[in-house]
Amino acid sequence: MRTKVIAGNWKMNKTPAEAAEFIMELKESVKGIENEIIAAVPFVCIPAALTASEGSNIKIAAQNMHWEEKGAYTGEISGAMLKDLGIEYVIIGHSERREYFAETDETVNLKAHAAFKNGLKPIICVGESLLQRDEGVMPEHIRYQVKVALLNLSAEQVADLIIAYEPIWAIGTGRTATAEQAQEVCKIIRDVVAELYSKETAEKVRIQYGGSVNAQTADSLFSMPDIDGGLVGGASLKVNDFTVIAGYKA
Ligand code: PEP
């Protein structure tokens, strides 16, 4: 049985002081929830968020990392730096990173390897554009993204990572995929993992849905057989909404 994992992606929101205040409030409201709860905060908020989350069931994650260990990469953060802070998860290949910062399937794969090398678990984002969906190439696109993202990772590593299916047309648009649409794609992703590795590995990997998840839509999405939780943007910035979403019960 896979444990549901609900991750908030704060994007470029909140100062360190605001992050600490938010986590202090959130940790009271999510007490006792048995799903895995993650808050992916801006880099500069990580120390304050980690301190605020002490003694709670909230894990703090990063939203990105570079694939190199160190060097002349102005403005970048390495996996070793995140690990040193005490981070467990890192989001990789979010569609906003792909769109605005020229990330590719190849750099996603490099980052996934670098994450594992540093003892971090990647949350790898994949998803199609509206054009790709309308033109009927969504399945090929998703399969290609997953295959390249996982290139040369071991079965043990794949079983330990999270794949977030995030249709680009649903991110920040208020337009959530239906539970059936999201399930269809999460099943495609699980099938690709089964083909590349084994059925056993595919049964272990956790696959999230992301794209305008809110307190009203979370239940129907998370109850689908291949959806193991969500990656939540806007609604993760509101304590009450995120608590309802994170508190999903089968
Ligand atoms: C996201 O940032 O990954 C996301 C899904 O955002 P939103 O929930 O706001 O659509």
Side-chain angles (χ1 to χ4, degrees), residues 9 11 94 166 170-172 210-213 231-234:
N9 173 18
K11 314 194 187 200
H94 190 280
E166 296 213 304
I171 298 178
S212 301
V213 174
L231 183 55
V232 185

Side-chain angles (χ1 to χ4, degrees), residues 10-233:
W10 288 12
K11 314 194 187 200
M12 195 171 72
N13 289 293
K14 299 192 190 296
T15 63
E18 289 166 347
E21 196 184 328
F22 185 92
I23 296 288
M24 293 301 280
E25 213 184 309
L26 185 68
K27 81 178 189 186
E28 288 308 313
S29 76
V30 298
K31 247 185 206 163
I33 292 178
E34 284 171 12
N35 301 319
E36 194 171 358
I37 302 173
I38 300 172
V41 306
F43 287 132
V44 294
C45 296
I46 290 173
L50 278 169
T51 305
S53 70
E54 271 169 23
S56 79
N57 54 347
I58 304 169
K59 294 179 176 173
I60 304 302
Q63 299 173 11
N64 181 33
M65 61 176 279
H66 197 273
W67 60 86
E68 292 290 351
E69 249 348 88
K70 57 182 169 182
Y73 301 99
T74 304
E76 289 293 328
I77 301 284
S78 75
M81 295 171 189
L82 297 176
K83 187 65 189 172
D84 187 68
L85 284 176
I87 289 292
E88 180 178 341
Y89 288 101
V90 54
I91 298 175
I92 288 177
H94 190 280
S95 66
E96 287 153 14
R97 302 273 339 150
R98 295 177 190 253
E99 183 178 351
Y100 306 130
F101 303 99
E103 295 203 7
T104 64
D105 295 314
E106 288 72 23
T107 61
V108 167
N109 179 248
L110 287 171
K111 289 180 181 199
H113 280 278
F116 281 116
K117 195 169 162 211
N118 287 288
L120 303 166
K121 294 178 195 165
I123 302 173
I124 297 176
C125 303
V126 298
E128 82 286 0
S129 66
L130 197 53
L131 179 75
Q132 288 164 329
R133 175 166 280 263
D134 288 346
E135 292 303 318
V137 297
M138 176 275 286
E140 291 101 297
H141 176 73
I142 296 292
R143 290 172 60 84
Y144 178 84
Q145 280 194 316
V146 173
K147 279 187 179 180
V148 179
L150 303 185
L151 265 180
N152 296 322
L153 291 179
S154 69
E156 290 67 33
Q157 288 171 329
V158 173
D160 225 17
L161 57 73
I162 296 170
I163 299 175
Y165 165 55
E166 296 213 304
I168 297 167
W169 48 271
I171 298 178
T173 59
R175 191 178 156 190
T176 318
T178 64
E180 290 72 25
Q181 285 173 324
Q183 163 61 24
E184 180 196 2
V185 187
C186 291
K187 168 88 167 62
I188 290 175
I189 294 170
R190 202 174 301 286
D191 287 347
V192 177
V193 174
E195 284 162 29
L196 294 173
Y197 295 89
S198 66
K199 200 160 183 318
E200 200 193 358
T201 306
E203 285 306 318
K204 286 186 186 153
V205 65
R206 288 183 294 174
I207 304 174
Q208 295 174 317
Y209 166 78
S212 301
V213 174
N214 59 43
Q216 286 74 45
T217 55
D219 270 18
S220 62
L221 287 159
F222 300 171
S223 64
M224 294 313 242
D226 288 294
I227 302 181
D228 305 313
L231 183 55
V232 185

